[in-house]
């Protein structure tokens, strides 16, 4: 089955998921080195080494990435850091400290509620659309094939 891009009519298309996965590579390297130097104190010798481990990703894979879910921990830590920074200038004022504390609780609860709502209600249809999407390797157009194209 070949799918034609609706924008440029090329048949050079892939599923977004395939383009995403094809652009990911695991990286695991080791390096070492030796150095010699001469200075006022004489000759010095240095030895060093290091390891790198991670994932490399192509730009095409980044563009074809699935829709991300909302995170909880990092935004909550950012909210907490903002509260700490705002608390210092007003440490002697109990009323403002209470307002900052209530704001912190409200912002944290609001973010948690929004993240859960997004991840449970809004994200699944976005992911389904992504799962059914194709990308044209000629023009970069992202599209969902019509039901007629998918059948025949």
């Amino acid at each position: 089955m070949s799918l034609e891009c609706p924008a440029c009519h090329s048949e050079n298309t892939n599923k977004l998921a395939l383009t995403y996965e094809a652009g990911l590579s695991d990286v695991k390297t080791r390096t070492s080195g030796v150095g010699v130097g001469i200075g006022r104190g004489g000759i010095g010798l240095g030895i060093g080494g290091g390891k790198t481990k991670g994932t490399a990703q192509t730009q095409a894979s980044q563009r074809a990435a699935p829709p991300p879910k909302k995170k909880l921990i990092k935004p909550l830590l950012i909210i907490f850091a903002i509260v700490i920074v705002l608390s210092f200038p007003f440490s002697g004022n109990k009323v403002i400290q209470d307002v900052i504390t209530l704001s912190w609780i409200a912002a944290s609860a609001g973010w948690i509620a929004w993240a859960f709502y997004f991840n449970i209600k809004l994200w699944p249809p976005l992911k389904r659309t992504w799962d059914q999407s194709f990308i044209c390797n000629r023009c970069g157009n992202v599209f969902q094939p019509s039901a007629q194209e998918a059948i025949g």
Side-chain angles (χ1 to χ4, degrees):
M1 171 178 80
S2 65
L3 292 173
E4 188 176 278
C5 171
C8 72
H9 305 292
S10 171
E11 292 184 357
N12 187 6
T13 60
N14 281 342
K15 281 198 82 146
L16 273 182
L18 178 64
T19 300
Y20 173 69
E21 288 292 329
L24 296 175
S25 301
D26 288 330
V27 176
K28 189 175 181 182
T29 63
R30 296 179 70 102
T31 186
S32 60
V34 177
V36 178
I38 301 174
R40 288 186 187 180
I43 297 177
L45 177 68
I47 300 172
K51 291 191 278 185
T52 301
K53 184 177 179 182
T55 303
Q57 186 175 18
T58 64
Q59 288 183 343
S61 176
Q62 290 173 0
R63 284 191 307 272
K69 286 186 171 183
K70 298 293 181 197
K71 306 286 186 203
L72 278 177
I73 300 300
K74 188 175 180 180
L76 291 175
L77 289 174
I78 291 170
I79 292 168
F80 182 70
I82 291 169
V83 166
I84 295 298
V85 169
L86 290 176
S87 292
F88 280 116
F90 303 105
S91 59
N93 190 328
K94 183 170 176 13
V95 174
I96 294 179
Q97 283 292 322
D98 290 345
V99 169
I100 290 172
T101 301
L102 289 174
S103 299
W104 171 42
I105 292 168
S108 297
W111 178 259
I112 291 168
W114 165 247
F116 274 102
Y117 175 76
F118 181 89
N119 291 342
I120 292 169
K121 295 287 185 185
L122 302 178
W123 183 80
L126 294 172
K127 176 72 163 63
R128 267 192 301 281
T129 300
W130 179 81
D131 283 333
Q132 298 166 356
S133 295
F134 286 75
I135 188 167
C136 176
N137 294 322
R138 182 174 174 214
C139 71
N141 181 43
V142 175
F143 64 96
Q144 292 82 39
S146 66
Q148 192 65 16
E149 287 175 326
I151 295 171

